[in-house]
C-alpha cells in the first residue's frame, strides 16, 4: 500500500503533510500570539522548534497549530516547490491532482448511493 501524501520539511527532521496546511504565518503579531495560547490551552499545539525561537506558525485543516524554527518564507518556498513538482509529475502522467481527487470522491459518492 502506497501513500501519495507529500511531506513538507519544517526543520530538524520534522515534517507535515503538505495537503493539510491551511496557512503559514509569522508569529510576531498579537493575533498569532493569541492563536498560539488558545491552541496550547486546548491541546492543539505542536511545538517542532526543538527549543529554538519560533519563526513560523503553521495552521492545519484539523485546527492544529504547529510551531517551527524555520522562517515562514522558507517553508512557503518549500511548499510552492513541492506543489510545482506535484503538478509537473501529474502532467507527465496525463492528469491533474485536483481532477483525480474530484474523480475519486465522485466515484465514492456514486458507490455509496448505489
Amino acid at each position: 500500500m502506497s501513500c501519495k501524501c507529500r511531506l513538507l520539511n519544517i526543520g530538524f527532521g520534522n515534517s507535515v503533510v503538505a495537503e493539510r496546511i491551511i496557512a503559514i504565518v509569522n508569529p510576531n503579531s498579537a493575533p498569532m500570539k493569541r492563536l498560539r495560547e488558545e491552541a496550547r490551552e486546548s491541546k492543539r499545539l505542536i511545538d517542532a522548534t526543538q527549543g529554538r525561537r519560533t519563526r513560523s506558525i503553521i495552521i492545519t485543516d484539523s485546527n492544529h497549530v504547529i510551531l517551527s524554527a524555520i522562517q515562514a518564507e522558507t517553508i512557503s518556498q518549500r511548499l510552492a516547490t513541492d506543489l510545482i513538482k506535484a503538478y509537473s509529475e501529474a502532467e507527465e502522467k496525463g492528469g491533474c491532482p485536483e481532477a483525480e481527487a474530484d474523480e475519486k470522491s465522485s466515484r465514492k459518492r456514486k458507490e455509496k448511493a448505489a
Side-chain angles (χ1 to χ4, degrees), residues 79-112:
L79 182 60
T81 302
D82 189 47
L83 289 174
I84 290 169
K85 190 186 302 183
Y87 280 111
S88 64
E89 288 174 3
E91 284 179 1
E92 288 174 5
K93 292 179 183 177
C96 170
E98 278 96 15
E100 291 173 10
D102 289 341
E103 189 176 311
K104 286 180 185 177
S105 63
S106 65
R107 228 181 293 135
K108 287 181 182 179
R109 278 190 298 248
K110 288 177 184 176
E111 289 172 4
K112 285 182 182 179

Side-chain angles (χ1 to χ4, degrees), residues 11-79:
F12 306 109
N14 299 303
S15 299
V16 176
V17 177
E19 290 83 17
R20 305 290 306 260
I21 295 174
I22 299 293
I24 303 168
V25 295
N26 289 316
N28 301 329
S29 68
M32 291 305 110
K33 290 177 183 175
R34 281 194 300 272
L35 177 73
R36 181 193 307 185
E37 287 308 312
E38 289 171 7
R40 179 174 283 131
E41 291 169 3
S42 62
K43 308 285 191 225
R44 294 180 291 109
L45 184 72
I46 300 170
D47 188 350
T49 61
Q50 304 293 323
R52 291 171 173 80
R53 180 174 163 236
T54 300
R55 294 199 170 146
S56 64
I57 297 176
I58 301 166
I59 303 166
T60 65
D61 61 354
S62 63
N63 214 17
H64 283 85
V65 176
I66 304 168
L67 307 180
S68 175
I70 305 296
Q71 290 284 346
E73 293 81 16
T74 304
I75 295 174
S76 297
Q77 288 174 347
R78 290 177 185 176
L79 182 60

